[in-house]
Amino acid sequence: MRKLLGMVLVLGLISVLSVSSPAQVKKGKTRVLTTKQLMSGLVKPQCGSLGEALKTAPTDDKGWEELATKAALLNESSYTLMDDGRCPDGEWAKASTQLREGSAAVLAKIEAKDAAGALEAFKGVTASCATCHKAHKK
Ligand code: HEC
């Protein structure tokens, strides 16, 4: 009887875990931020305004600093995407690495005040959006 009860508990736990795992795409395990909020509040605005701004090279240090901030925030979001049990699979992990490496490459070009190089490196950032959305954005 005890053994049976143990089996039932284990099976129950397995079914709870398997039902709750798909939700990790939409939100982490413990923190409040949803993936939708991360995208609409941080990733999209920083990516959109960075892409727009890179079309014309900044004319002063303040302009370059603003670009560096956008690239660094995108880089940081690649870590949030992997934290708190949010990552469901290899495609997600691959896209997060693309975002991390792409934004770091853009930042390096911005620090060198190389606008053309930054625009070229920015392709790595936008490739990451496509990789992840193809697999995980319904
Ligand atoms: C590792 C995965 C991943 C990466 C990388 C990623 N996204 Fe997303 N994105 C998602 C998921 C998942 C959703 C759907 C979230 C939902 O609706 O619950 C989403 C939704 C969005 C949305 C819709 C938000 C809304 O309000 O409904 C926008 C805009 C967006 N992403 C922009 C971007 C841009 C721009 C990039 C690249 C710089 C990017 N995303 C990279 C996973 C990713």
Side-chain angles (χ1 to χ4, degrees):
M1 190 62 199
R2 269 194 111 101
K3 232 177 174 173
L4 188 66
L5 194 65
M7 281 274 281
V8 168
L9 282 176
V10 166
L11 285 176
L13 192 65
I14 288 170
S15 66
V16 164
L17 287 177
S18 60
V19 164
S20 66
S21 64
Q24 300 314 322
V25 166
K26 301 210 170 250
K27 196 177 164 293
K29 286 197 171 110
T30 61
R31 301 191 210 150
V32 297
L33 183 76
T34 63
T35 303
K36 195 175 153 102
Q37 290 166 336
L38 176 63
M39 292 294 150
S40 66
L42 174 60
V43 177
K44 185 188 174 210
Q46 299 309 323
C47 180
S49 59
L50 179 61
E52 202 49 46
L54 282 174
K55 288 180 185 163
T56 50
T59 51
D60 57 11
D61 284 352
K62 192 171 167 282
W64 284 110
E65 231 173 77
E66 283 169 12
L67 292 192
T69 299
K70 295 176 196 306
L73 283 170
L74 285 172
N75 187 265
E76 193 63 25
S77 67
S78 77
Y79 292 92
T80 305
L81 280 167
M82 291 303 294
D83 280 352
D84 202 23
R86 197 184 302 260
C87 172
D89 63 12
E91 278 305 286
W92 185 285
K94 183 177 133 197
S96 300
T97 302
Q98 277 179 324
L99 180 58
R100 188 168 309 167
E101 293 176 355
S103 55
V106 172
L107 185 59
K109 296 295 180 186
I110 289 170
E111 279 164 354
K113 297 196 164 125
D114 174 1
L119 192 58
E120 183 61 30
F122 184 66
K123 287 179 190 159
V125 171
T126 50
S128 78
C129 326
T131 301
C132 197
H133 290 174
K134 206 169 146 229
H136 292 293
K137 188 168 171 285
K138 299 286 169 309

